Amino acid sequence: MVERLERLLNLIIALRASPQPMSAEAIRARVAGYGERPEEAFRRMLERDKADLRALGVPIETVPVDRWRDRHGYRIDPARYDLPALDLDAEEVAALALAARAAGLGEHARRGLRKLTVDAGPSVATDAEDPPVRVPLSEPRLLALEAARARREPVAFAYRPAGREVGRRTVDPWGLVYRAGRWYLVGRDHDRAERRTFRLDRVEGQVDVVGPPGSFTPAEVAIDDVVPDGGGVSAEVAASAGAAWRVARLAEGPPVPGHGGRTLFRVRARSPEEFVGWVVGLGPGVEVLGPPALRAAVVAALERLARQGRAR
């Protein structure tokens, strides 16, 4: 079955890519899966494969390959076979990216959204390491900022830091991150000439675009770029070699070698709920060593997920 599927795919690719109709002889010589058969067996196989592909909706055409119409070949007309281009504007792509984050689609969504383009800039990508969460999409400035990020347009807005007066900030929007119940903008602050994070609920008024498309090259942004600061909960975790680099981004101090190739870290989160969601999202490569209350909360969350999986 695998061999046959590969042969059919090879035939589709060859007929779609060839600028001229391919004769049966050319297919036998150039398409993998056909040349190993004797002549008569090859002819029967080709006829079956064409019939099966046509039944699936692949428009294989039989056309003359010489001016006297004595010899025929086969082709796939791109106009009949190819899907039409997706004409999405930046706001539509932004909405798809945010929905992908909300559904926790991760790397699958990242690869798919990379294939989408908008007129004024590159495609929108989701954060591959976001765990599945229920994300509110009602934040009024969310789509405007995501659209500006997709177009690589600098933005300006009024921002009220904690305990300080409102000030005007000009930022290259690199990405949006949802963490601990809030949305954050991560980008380059023009006035400070460095990477900064802004809470969207502290942005006042509208977001204005202040530069042309393609004004900056965005840096990579992931959920761990919004690091909890002060308060919250602290825990000791052991990480496998494959997960250690992800845990290190939240570590409060240097890693400590552990048993069995594991690495020990001290990490901090804003709340027990945030910590549990983070650990569960990392998978089996991370074990919570303490405190006991946080370890028990993680175990309870994993047991709930297991029960839900069995119920399905």
Side-chain angles (χ1 to χ4, degrees):
M1 178 61 72
V2 173
E3 177 184 346
R4 181 169 181 273
L5 290 175
E6 290 179 349
R7 188 178 70 246
L8 292 175
L9 287 174
N10 290 336
L11 181 59
I12 291 173
I13 293 169
L15 295 181
R16 169 61 183 82
S18 177
Q20 302 295 330
M22 294 185 68
S23 66
E25 293 78 10
I27 291 173
R28 188 183 185 194
R30 293 162 50 187
V31 180
Y34 290 102
E36 301 84 359
R37 304 295 194 279
E39 175 71 21
E40 195 60 33
F42 158 71
R43 294 285 179 176
R44 292 195 300 269
M45 177 185 292
L46 180 59
E47 291 303 316
R48 286 197 306 269
D49 289 351
K50 287 188 300 174
D52 289 344
L53 290 175
R54 284 167 175 155
L56 292 172
V58 180
I60 298 179
E61 301 176 346
T62 302
V63 295
V65 294
D66 60 37
R67 58 184 301 182
W68 297 279
R69 307 178 70 86
D70 292 333
R71 299 175 62 247
H72 292 81
Y74 309 100
R75 67 187 293 266
I76 293 176
D77 182 3
R80 295 177 57 201
Y81 179 71
D82 293 0
L83 292 174
L86 289 176
D87 186 17
L88 302 179
D89 59 29
E91 287 77 13
E92 291 169 326
V93 178
L96 281 177
L98 295 173
R101 287 195 183 102
L105 298 181
E107 182 59 24
H108 298 292
R110 181 188 290 273
R111 289 197 298 265
L113 288 170
R114 278 177 182 157
K115 301 178 185 297
L116 301 179
T117 58
V118 292
D119 292 340
S123 62
V124 177
T126 61
D127 297 321
E129 297 170 16
D130 286 5
V133 291
R134 295 186 179 275
V135 183
L137 302 179
S138 58
E139 163 58 52
R141 302 163 191 87
L142 205 53
L143 290 181
L145 287 168
E146 186 69 25
R149 190 213 70 81
R151 297 187 182 111
R152 293 184 290 167
E153 296 170 335
V155 295
F157 48 81
Y159 188 73
R160 183 187 296 276
R164 287 183 283 167
E165 295 297 319
V166 176
R168 188 75 171 170
R169 312 297 282 271
T170 301
V171 180
D172 293 337
W174 290 348
L176 290 157
V177 174
Y178 180 79
R179 186 152 203 195
R182 294 189 178 93
W183 280 102
Y184 296 83
L185 170 68
V186 180
R188 178 182 178 274
D189 188 312
H190 285 210
D191 295 330
R192 293 155 181 78
E194 62 184 14
R195 185 188 192 106
R196 288 296 175 95
T197 300
F198 305 89
R199 270 177 48 177
L200 263 61
D201 59 348
R202 290 177 178 164
V203 175
E204 300 189 356
Q206 69 179 22
V207 174
D208 299 315
V209 173
V210 294
S215 294
F216 62 89
T217 300
E220 287 292 327
V221 172
I223 190 171
D224 289 345
D225 286 322
V226 180
V227 179
D229 53 351
V233 297
S234 181
E236 184 180 11
V237 301
S240 66
W245 67 274
R246 298 171 67 184
V247 176
R249 302 177 69 175
L250 277 186
E252 292 187 291
V256 178
H259 296 294
R262 300 191 305 172
T263 305
L264 306 182
F265 294 93
R266 171 68 61 173
V267 298
R268 178 172 293 278
R270 292 184 186 274
S271 66
E273 294 77 16
E274 181 190 62
F275 176 78
V276 170
W278 174 73
V279 173
V280 171
L282 289 176
V286 177
E287 178 187 1
V288 180
L289 303 180
L294 283 180
R295 179 181 172 88
V298 171
V299 171
L302 293 173
E303 289 176 344
R304 285 196 302 271
L305 290 174
R307 288 195 298 269
Q308 292 171 4
R310 289 194 295 269
R312 292 173 185 170

